[in-house]
Amino acid sequence: IDIWQYHGLDWLSMLLSLLAVYLIGNKNVLGFVLFIIANIVWLFVGSMLMHSYGIVFGNAAFLIINLRGFINWQKKKNVEQAF
């Protein structure tokens, strides 16, 4: 088994995703940013290295969901600062 088959990019994405979940669980907006970066790396790995439509489709959907979460978090933060 070659754990470096995808040049460590799959490991990087996995670690970023786990850290992102942890940060979001602690109500830290940086988690969304890390998730977005992980999704972009997964899109590259899935399309260019693995040729997996499932990984590409899933992470494109996750990217949209994470962008939405980041935007909503920022809106809520701005509303709270106004009061």
Side-chain angles (χ1 to χ4, degrees), residues 27-78:
K27 299 184 181 184
N28 187 331
V29 73
L30 181 61
F32 284 109
V33 175
L34 291 181
F35 251 140
I36 290 167
I37 294 168
N39 294 141
I40 291 168
V41 176
W42 271 122
L43 285 169
F44 175 79
V45 170
S47 63
M48 303 302 286
L49 302 177
M50 291 180 155
H51 308 289
S52 170
Y53 293 115
I55 289 176
V56 171
F57 179 78
N59 278 281
F62 290 140
L63 178 61
I64 292 167
I65 292 167
N66 285 315
L67 283 170
R68 179 182 174 273
F70 180 79
I71 290 167
N72 286 342
W73 194 304
Q74 294 303 313
K75 285 180 185 177
K76 183 179 177 183
K77 184 177 167 184
N78 290 340

